[in-house]
C-alpha cells in the first residue's frame, strides 16, 4: 500500500498559525494538498494579531507545497471558505482547529467568557463547515474534523465554558456524519493533546516536549483521506498514540413491570445497582440501535398490572434462583381477541398467495370455507406468553432476552380454530433443562374457547444462551422431541421463495422483535442482516404440508413439530422436503441458496378420515345421509361412472348455517367410494357443494330444482361446477342436477 496522498485536494485548516493546526497544515502540504492556512493571529485568549499564518505558508512553500494565508476569524466562516474557492477553486477538507481559552472557575465565569469560547469553538466550527458543506455535497466528497478535548469528555476544573463548547462539537459532528453519509462527506472528532502554547503552563516540561503536535497530525490526515471510511467517530491522539472512543450503556432496568404502571423515585433508588451495572453492557452506535434495544424491552413489559405473587411458583417461593426458579411457574389464562383480518394478515405473512389452490379460503372472509391456518395457533399463545407475563412471574431468574433463542415449537390442534372470537391461553413452565451452553425452558400452553373447551396446545422450547451449568437435568419427559426424517428420497419437495418484506408483514401478527427488520438491531444480535421469524418459516412449511397432504382441509391438520436449526434471510428460497409415513408427514426445510437446514426434526400429524367404501354406513342423524347411502348403492351397481366422471365431489351439509356433516363422493379413485368426511386421499375435491340439510332433502325428492337452488343461493358450489351434471346417474330419477 502506497503513501497516502492528497494531490488535487484543497484543505482548510483553521487556527493553523501555530500549535496543532500548523502541524496539520505542514503535513497536508507535504502530501500534495493545497492548503488554506487560516489564523486570526491573536494570543491564546484571542487578543491582538500577528502574521503567524504567513509564516506557516512560507514553511509549506519552502518544502515544495502550495498554500495561501487567510486572516479572517472563523466567525466569518464564509470568507475563510471563499479564500479557498478564490485561490484553488474547491474545498475538500475542513479541519476545525482554531481555539482560545478563557479559563475561570465556574462561579466566576462571565457572560463574555462563556460567549467568546462558544463563538470561536462551537459557532466558528459551525460557520466554516456550513459554508463548505454545500460544495462538498455537490462534488460528492468531503472530510470534516471537529476538535474536542478531554476537558469536555471528562471535565476539567476552571473550564466549564470550554468543556461545554468542546463536547458541543461532538454532538455537531455526530449529526453531520449522519447528514453527510449519502454524499460521501465524513465527519469525525478528535480530542488531541499536544505541547502548544495552550498547554505550556499545564503540561510538565518533559511531557510537553514529548507530545509534539506533529505526532497528532497523522491521525487527522488518515481520517481525511478518501480511502478512510470512518465517520461519526471520536478519537484521542497524543504523542503518536491514537484510540477510538465509544459509548457504553449498561443493560439497565425497567423500574415498572407493566405499561399501565408509573415509576416512583423509590423504584429508581431500589434498582440503582442494576441501572448502573455494566456487566452486560451494550455499545449502541446509533440512535436507532439505542432505541431498538429499548423497544424490545418495552415489548416485554406486560400490558396488565404486575402480578405480585405467584402461589404456584413453588420453586421460586422456596428461594431458588437461576433458571430452575422458572420450573413450575404458571401463567394464568389471558385473552386474545381476533377476527378475520388477523387470520388474513397471518396467512399473507406466511406467504399464502392468490396463485395457490384454495387461496381465498385463507384470504377472503366471504369465502364459504374461510378458515384459520392451523399454525395460527401459535399467535394467541405467543401474545399471552411474550406480552411480558412470563418473565415477570418468575422471581429469582431474569433471562437476558437478547440471548433468548426459540429452539423448538410444537402445536396440537384439538379442533379447528374459529374464524373469529376470543381465545384464552394459560401456560406452565413444564421443565427447565441444563444444556451446558444454555438453559432450556419448556413451556406448555393451552388455548381454550369461550365455552372452556380446548382448541389447541402449544409447546415452546426457549433456549437461553449462556445460562447453562446450573445443575439441572439434561432431558425431560415433558419435552416433545423432534424426530428426524426418514433416510430416503422425499416423496414430495416444494420450494417457496421468501420475500424481502416477509418479516415486515409477518411481524404484524404480533412478534415485533426488531431483530427481524432493523439492520442495526440485527447487528447487535450478531447477524449481518435482519432474519426471518422462525415461526414464519414454520407457518410457511405448515401451509405447504396442509396443501400437499390435507387438500387444504384444516380439519385434517392435527399437530406440527419443528426444531429451529439456522436462521433464514428474507429473500432466500425455502426447500421443503416431505415424506409420508402412515398418518405422519415428516419434513425438513432448508435454504436453497446455502444448502443449510433451517427446520429439522419436523413432522405434521394428519387425521385420515375413517371411511367405509362398499359397505356404506353412517351414524349421522341428518336426513341427507340416506341419499348418500342411496348414491353408494347406485355406484356399486355402476362402477363405470368412475371412468366417466373422474372427479371428487365434496358435500358440506349445513344445519341452520353451520356445518353439520360432510360427504365425499369419490368418482376418481379405484372403483369409486362414497363416505362421510372429507376426501381421505388428501386430494382437493373437483367440486364443493354446500347446502342445508332440508334443502338437500327437497332437492333429492325433486321438490327443489337444482338450478333455482343455485341461483337463489340455497345451493352453493365451487370448483368445476359443470361436473355436477355427471352426478345424474347416481341420483334418484325424480331429482335433477
Ligand atoms: P494554539 O493556540 O497553538 O492554536 C490555536 C490557534 O487558533 C491559534 O493560532 C489562534 O491564533 C487561532 N485562533 C484563535 N481564535 C481564532 C479565530 N477566531 N479565528 C481563527 N483563528 C483563531 O492551540 P493548540 O493547542 O494548537 O489548539 C488547537 C486546537 O486543539 C484548539 O481547538 C484547542 O482547543 C484544541 N485542543 C488542544 C489541546 C492541547 O493539548 N494542545 C488539548 C485539547 C484540545
Amino acid at each position: 500500500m502506497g503513501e497516502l496522498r492528497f494531490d488535487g485536494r484543497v484543505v482548510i485548516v483553521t487556527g493553523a498559525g501555530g500549535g496543532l493546526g500548523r502541524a496539520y497544515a505542514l503535513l497536508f502540504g507535504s502530501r500534495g494538498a493545497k492548503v488554506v492556512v487560516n489564523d486570526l493571529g491573536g494570543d491564546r485568549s484571542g487578543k491582538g494579531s500577528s502574521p503567524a499564518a504567513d509564516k506557516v505558508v512560507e514553511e509549506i512553500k519552502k518544502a515544495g507545497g502550495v498554500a495561501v494565508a487567510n486572516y479572517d476569524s472563523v466567525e466569518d466562516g464564509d470568507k475563510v471558505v471563499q479564500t479557498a474557492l478564490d485561490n484553488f477553486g474547491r474545498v475538500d477538507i475542513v479541519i476545525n482547529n482554531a481555539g482560545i481559552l478563557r479559563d475561570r472557575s465556574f462561579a466566576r465565569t462571565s457572560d463574555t467568557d462563556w460567549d467568546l469560547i462558544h463563538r470561536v469553538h462551537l459557532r466558528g466550527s459551525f460557520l466554516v463547515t456550513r459554508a463548505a458543506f454545500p460544495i462538498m455535497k455537490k462534488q460528492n466528497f468531503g472530510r470534516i474534523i471537529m476538535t474536542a478535548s478531554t476537558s469536555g469528555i471528562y471535565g476539567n476544573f476552571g473550564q466549564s465554558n470550554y468543556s461545554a463548547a468542546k463536547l458541543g462539537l461532538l454532538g455537531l459532528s455526530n449529526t453531520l456524519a449522519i447528514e453527510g453519509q449519502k454524499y460521501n462527506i465524513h465527519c469525525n472528532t478528535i480530542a488531541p493533546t499536544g505541547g502548544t502554547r495552550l498547554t505550556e503552563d499545564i503540561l510538565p516540561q518533559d511531557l510537553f516536549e514529548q507530545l509534539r503536535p506533529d505526532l497528532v497530525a497523522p491521525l487527522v490526515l488518515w481520517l481525511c483521506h478518501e480511502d478512510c471510511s470512518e465517520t461519526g467517530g471520536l478519537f484521542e491522539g497524543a504523542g503518536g498514540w491514537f484510540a477510538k472512543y465509544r459509548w457504553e450503556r449498561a443493560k439497565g432496568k425497567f423500574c415498572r413491570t407493566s405499561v399501565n404502571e408509573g415509576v416512583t423515585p423509590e423504584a429508581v433508588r431500589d434498582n440503582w445497582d442494576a441501572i448502573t451495572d455494566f456487566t452486560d453492557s451494550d455499545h449502541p452506535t446509533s440512535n436507532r440501535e439505542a432505541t431498538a434495544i429499548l423497544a424490545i424491552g418495552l415489548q416485554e413489559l406486560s400490558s396488565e398490572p404486575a402480578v405480585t405473587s405467584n402461589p404456584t411458583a413453588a420453586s421460586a417461593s422456596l428461594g431458588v434462583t437461576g433458571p430452575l426458579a422458572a420450573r413450575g411457574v404458571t401463567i394464568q389464562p389471558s385473552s386474545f381477541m381476533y377476527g378475520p383480518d388477523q387470520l388474513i394478515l397471518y396467512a399473507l405473512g406466511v406467504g399464502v398467495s392468490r396463485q395457490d389452490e384454495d387461496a381465498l379460503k385463507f384470504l377472503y372472509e366471504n369465502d364459504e370455507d374461510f378458515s384459520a391456518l392451523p399454525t395460527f395457533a401459535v399467535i394467541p399463545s405467543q401474545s399471552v406468553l411474550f406480552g411480558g407475563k412470563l418473565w415477570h412471574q418468575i422471581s429469582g431468574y431474569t433471562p437476558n432476552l437478547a440471548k433468548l433463542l426459540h429452539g423448538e415449537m410444537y402445536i396440537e390442534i384439538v379442533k379447528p380454530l374459529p374464524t373469529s372470537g376470543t381465545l384464552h391461553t394459560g401456560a406452565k413452565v413444564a421443565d427447565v433443562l441444563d444444556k451446558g451452553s444454555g438453559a432450556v425452558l419448556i413451556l406448555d400452553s393451552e388455548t381454550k374457547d369461550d365455552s372452556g373447551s380446548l382448541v389447541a396446545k402449544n409447546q415452546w422450547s426457549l433456549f437461553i444462551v449462556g445460562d447453562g451449568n446450573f445443575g439441572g437435568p439434561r432431558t425431560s419427559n415433558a419435552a416433545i422431541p423432534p424426530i428426524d426424517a426418514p433416510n430416503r428420497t422425499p416423496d414430495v419437495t416444494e420450494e417457496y421463495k421468501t420475500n424481502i418484506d416477509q418479516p415486515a408483514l409477518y411481524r404484524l401478527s404480533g412478534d415485533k422483535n426488531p431483530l427481524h427488520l432493523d439492520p442495526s438491531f440485527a447487528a447487535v444480535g450478531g447477524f449481518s442482516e435482519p432474519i426471518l421469524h422462525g415461526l414464519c418459516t414454520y407457518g410457511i412449511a405448515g401451509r405447504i404440508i396442509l396443501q400437499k397432504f390435507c387438500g387444504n382441509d384444516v380439519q385434517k391438520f392435527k399437530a406440527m413439530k419443528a426444531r429451529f436449526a439456522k436462521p433464514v434471510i428474507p429473500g432466500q428460497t425455502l426447500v421443503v422436503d416431505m415424506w409420508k409415513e402412515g398418518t405422519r408427514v415428516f419434513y425438513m426445510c432448508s435454504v436453497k441458496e446455502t444448502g443449510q437446514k433451517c427446520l429439522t426434526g419436523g413432522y405434521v400429524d394428519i387425521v385420515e378420515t375413517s371411511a367405509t367404501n362398499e359397505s356404506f354406513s353412517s351414524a349421522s342423524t341428518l336426513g341427507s345421509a340416506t341419499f348418500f347411502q342411496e348414491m353408494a348403492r347406485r355406484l356399486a351397481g355402476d362402477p363405470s361412472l368412475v371412468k366417466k366422471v373422474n372427479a371428487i365431489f365434496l358435500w358440506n351439509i349445513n344445519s341452520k348455517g353451520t356445518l353439520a356433516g360432510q360427504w365425499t363422493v369419490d368418482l376418481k379413485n379405484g372403483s369409486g367410494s362414497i363416505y362421510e368426511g372429507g376426501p381421505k386421499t388428501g386430494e382437493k375435491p373437483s367440486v364443493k357443494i354446500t347446502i342445508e340439510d332440508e334443502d338437500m332433502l327437497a332437492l333429492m325428492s325433486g321438490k327443489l330444482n337444482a338450478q333455482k337452488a343455485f341461483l337463489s343461493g340455497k345451493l352453493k358450489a365451487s370448483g368445476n361446477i359443470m361436473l355436477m351434471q355427471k352426478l345424474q346417474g347416481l341420483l334418484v330419477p325424480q331429482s335433477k342436477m
Side-chain angles (χ1 to χ4, degrees):
M1 292 214 273
E3 191 187 64
L4 294 171
R5 297 289 305 175
F6 291 86
D7 303 298
R9 298 283 182 213
V10 174
V11 53
I12 294 172
V13 184
T14 69
L20 290 162
R22 171 177 163 271
Y24 307 153
L26 293 177
L27 193 55
F28 271 118
S30 74
R31 296 298 178 112
K34 295 176 182 129
V35 189
V36 175
V37 180
N38 158 269
D39 205 298
L40 201 54
D43 67 15
R44 77 180 208 173
S45 67
K47 292 184 186 131
S49 64
S50 73
D54 276 347
K55 283 194 192 148
V56 176
V57 169
E58 278 319 302
E59 282 185 88
I60 294 173
K61 285 186 174 163
K62 227 187 220 163
V66 180
V68 63
N70 169 278
Y71 284 93
D72 291 307
S73 165
V74 286
E75 290 185 72
D76 292 316
D78 45 355
K79 289 189 187 157
V80 181
V81 170
Q82 195 57 48
T83 303
L85 296 178
D86 291 347
N87 287 276
F88 307 126
R90 57 187 289 141
V91 185
D92 299 289
I93 299 164
V94 170
I95 314 296
N96 291 293
N97 166 79
I100 52 168
L101 289 179
R102 281 274 175 131
D103 293 2
R104 300 272 185 279
S105 62
F106 178 62
R108 293 179 56 222
T109 301
S110 68
D111 286 7
T112 316
D113 296 333
W114 180 268
D115 292 344
L116 199 63
I117 289 294
H118 277 75
R119 270 171 36 207
V120 174
H121 288 272
L122 191 50
R123 195 171 144 77
S125 300
F126 156 63
L127 289 167
V128 176
T129 308
R130 191 181 62 180
F133 203 76
I135 301 163
M136 293 174 167
K137 254 171 92 171
K138 224 182 246 169
Q139 69 200 17
N140 207 39
F141 180 85
R143 296 289 184 267
I144 300 162
I145 297 290
M146 298 294 175
T147 306
S149 164
T150 51
S151 296
I153 297 171
Y154 303 108
N156 196 20
F157 191 93
Q159 291 197 316
S160 57
N161 51 357
Y162 180 78
S163 310
K166 283 311 204 187
L167 267 209
L169 284 162
L170 177 63
L172 172 62
S173 174
N174 288 342
T175 293
L176 282 188
I178 292 168
E179 292 193 15
Q181 186 80 59
K182 74 171 181 200
Y183 305 106
N184 189 20
I185 302 173
H186 296 174
C187 189
N188 287 288
T189 306
I190 57 165
T193 303
T196 70
R197 66 181 191 174
L198 286 193
T199 49
E200 60 194 350
D201 52 357
I202 303 168
L203 293 171
Q205 187 57 35
D206 53 339
L207 205 55
F208 183 86
E209 279 155 18
Q210 280 177 44
L211 299 181
R212 297 192 321 267
D214 60 280
L215 297 174
V216 174
L219 167 70
V220 172
L221 263 79
W222 167 238
L223 286 173
C224 292
H225 196 266
E226 61 195 19
D227 290 348
C228 180
S229 58
E230 191 77 40
T231 187
L234 169 64
F235 301 87
E236 203 176 332
W241 166 84
F242 310 107
K244 185 173 179 174
Y245 278 80
R246 66 176 174 181
W247 292 101
E248 179 171 27
R249 188 171 65 172
K251 191 180 157 206
K253 179 109 204 289
F254 273 100
C255 296
R256 54 182 187 151
T257 51
S258 147
V259 289
N260 302 324
E261 278 175 60
V263 181
T264 61
E266 292 75 21
V268 177
R269 175 197 61 199
D270 298 344
N271 286 296
W272 198 245
D273 283 350
I275 292 168
T276 55
D277 179 7
F278 278 95
T279 321
D280 259 330
S281 59
D282 60 68
H283 301 95
T285 57
S286 68
N287 217 343
R288 216 153 55 120
E289 215 175 90
T291 45
I293 291 169
L294 181 69
I296 193 168
L298 277 172
Q299 222 191 344
E300 292 301 324
L301 276 185
S302 161
S303 55
E304 285 179 10
V307 177
T308 45
S309 69
N310 180 14
T312 55
S315 42
S317 64
L318 289 173
V320 177
T321 56
L324 278 179
R327 189 193 269 163
V329 167
T330 57
I331 299 159
Q332 293 311 309
S334 45
S335 312
F336 176 78
M337 211 170 80
Y338 66 100
D341 287 6
Q342 278 74 29
L343 298 182
I344 294 165
L345 198 57
Y346 175 81
L348 289 169
V350 298
V352 173
S353 154
R354 278 196 56 207
Q355 291 160 349
D356 301 340
E357 277 177 29
D358 302 320
L360 291 191
K361 178 174 186 172
F362 304 111
L363 295 182
Y364 184 39
E365 67 279 16
N366 291 329
D367 186 88
E368 59 177 346
D369 285 330
F370 182 62
S371 307
L373 280 169
T375 50
F376 183 78
V378 303
I379 302 295
S381 172
Q382 165 190 283
S383 95
V384 169
L385 295 177
F386 303 108
K389 294 182 186 69
L390 173 62
W391 311 118
H392 296 301
Q393 292 193 39
I394 304 173
S395 52
Y397 178 54
T398 313
N400 179 353
L401 298 178
K403 298 200 171 151
L404 188 144
L405 303 172
H406 192 175
E408 295 172 17
M409 186 75 211
Y410 175 78
I411 57 171
E412 191 177 321
I413 317 294
V414 180
K415 62 178 182 182
L417 291 129
T419 51
S420 67
T422 305
L423 295 176
H424 312 272
T425 304
K428 180 176 181 178
V429 181
D431 214 339
V432 180
L433 307 184
D434 184 349
K435 295 285 185 189
S437 58
V440 175
L441 260 58
I442 298 171
L443 207 56
D444 283 341
S445 75
E446 285 192 346
T447 300
K448 296 180 176 171
D449 62 17
D450 269 336
S451 71
S453 82
L454 192 60
V455 174
K457 294 185 199 176
N458 287 354
Q459 185 174 85
W460 304 73
S461 304
L462 306 176
F463 191 83
I464 300 117
V465 182
D467 282 6
N469 295 321
F470 55 87
R474 277 194 80 81
T475 54
S476 166
N477 287 340
I480 298 165
I483 304 174
D484 284 337
N487 193 10
R488 60 178 169 87
T489 321
D491 299 331
V492 183
T493 295
E494 180 83 358
E495 288 188 6
Y496 174 75
K497 187 170 179 353
T498 64
N499 188 296
I500 183 152
D501 295 319
Q502 200 107 32
L505 189 57
Y506 183 81
R507 68 195 287 276
L508 300 179
S509 286
D511 182 352
K512 294 201 175 163
N513 187 336
L515 171 67
H516 305 294
L517 196 59
D518 185 334
S520 29
F521 194 84
V524 177
F527 297 102
S528 57
E529 49 194 308
I531 58 169
L532 191 60
H533 300 72
L535 281 179
C536 179
T537 310
Y538 185 82
I540 292 167
R543 163 178 80 68
I544 289 171
I545 295 164
L546 179 73
Q547 186 187 36
K548 296 284 160 201
F549 293 91
C550 307
N552 276 329
D553 181 352
V554 296
Q555 307 204 41
K556 291 189 171 173
F557 195 103
K558 183 92 179 69
M560 178 166 177
K561 173 77 189 180
R563 182 202 289 129
F564 300 101
K566 279 263 157 33
V568 175
I569 305 294
Q572 287 180 329
T573 305
L574 300 174
V575 180
V576 187
D577 289 325
M578 293 162 270
W579 297 258
K580 185 154 188 291
E581 305 248 305
T583 56
R584 182 161 276 184
V585 178
F586 292 93
Y587 71 95
M588 209 250 315
C589 192
S590 52
V591 172
K592 191 176 184 183
E593 289 79 1
T594 61
Q596 280 186 331
K597 297 171 184 175
C598 50
L599 298 184
T600 58
Y603 60 84
V604 169
D605 284 335
I606 59 179
V607 196
E608 304 271 22
T609 322
S610 58
T612 48
N613 192 352
E614 296 79 24
S615 57
F616 181 93
S617 77
S618 171
S620 175
T621 54
L622 291 170
S624 306
T626 34
F627 289 99
F628 290 105
Q629 205 163 6
E630 176 61 19
M631 280 194 231
R633 207 186 55 76
R634 285 171 179 255
L635 173 63
D638 184 7
S640 71
L641 272 171
V642 174
K643 227 177 164 182
K644 282 188 216 152
V645 181
N646 190 32
I648 298 173
F649 300 80
L650 177 67
W651 292 77
N652 291 322
I653 308 298
N654 286 351
S655 174
K656 296 196 173 66
T658 314
L659 186 67
Q662 254 189 341
W663 273 269
T664 297
V665 176
D666 183 346
L667 301 182
K668 188 174 177 187
N669 298 298
S671 53
S673 52
I674 296 176
Y675 48 85
E676 204 171 347
K680 62 179 180 181
T681 54
E683 285 170 273
K684 183 178 146 55
S686 328
V687 188
K688 251 185 297 180
I689 304 149
T690 304
I691 189 167
E692 276 286 315
D693 188 40
E694 57 185 43
D695 292 333
M696 179 72 173
L697 290 177
L699 188 75
M700 292 297 161
S701 58
K703 288 182 190 144
L704 180 67
N705 175 289
Q707 222 161 16
K708 273 191 189 158
F710 185 73
L711 291 174
S712 68
K714 283 186 173 172
L715 184 150
K716 289 183 187 132
S718 61
N720 189 354
I721 55 174
M722 298 309 284
L723 283 172
M724 285 174 70
Q725 290 174 2
K726 297 196 177 179
L727 280 176
Q728 204 62 53
L730 287 181
L731 303 176
V732 285
Q734 60 270 41
S735 63
K736 203 155 171 48
M737 290 309 272

